[in-house]
Amino acid sequence: ITSIDIYIHCITIFASIDLTTIQTTNSPSSNNNDNRLILLDLYLYYSMIGISNQSAKIRSCSLAVLSLLSIPLYSTIISTLPTLVDLLIKETWWESYIHILTLCSRLVSYDNTNDSNKMIFELIYHIFNTNS
């Protein structure tokens, strides 16, 4: 693969298949769990790279992956929330808004007592009050 954009797009496809499989199967094998953790880290790494990409399509793909990762890597996603909010507040593409709202709803529904919910609600408020 010659372009990071193509690679991130492929990662999005693989992550959506893999993370759906994680939710439907639960294997006790520690080797399998180690491999899953490596894949989750890989998905997170490239989605974080992708959300700052100049292509709206790649940003949207990356946000879709972050949304899928929001439950298995909840604490990691929450810890990067200030950085995410800084990047996402500048977003203008409608498809990215959908993935941001999905991410926010998953984070809030997972733990509605978290202190980070204020940032999440500010992001949701921004999306609904954008004049684009």
Side-chain angles (χ1 to χ4, degrees), residues 48 51 66 77 80-89 103 123:
M48 293 301 287
I51 62 169
L66 282 177
I77 300 291
T80 62
L81 201 54
T83 303
L84 287 174
V85 169
D86 288 345
L87 290 169
L88 300 180
I89 212 80
L103 172 63
L123 188 54

Side-chain angles (χ1 to χ4, degrees), residues 100-120:
I100 293 167
L101 290 172
T102 304
L103 172 63
C104 290
S105 68
R106 290 176 61 111
L107 291 172
V108 170
S109 67
Y110 185 77
D111 181 5
N112 63 8
T113 62
N114 193 305
D115 293 336
S116 300
N117 284 348
K118 182 179 179 188
M119 281 188 285
I120 294 169

Side-chain angles (χ1 to χ4, degrees), residues 1 14 16 27 32 37 39 47 53 62 67 73 98 103 106 110 118 120 130-131:
I1 298 177
F14 295 139
S16 65
S27 173
N32 192 23
L37 290 175
L39 284 174
S47 61
N53 193 291
S62 299
S67 178
L73 295 178
I98 293 168
L103 172 63
R106 290 176 61 111
Y110 185 77
K118 182 179 179 188
I120 294 169
T130 299
N131 295 323

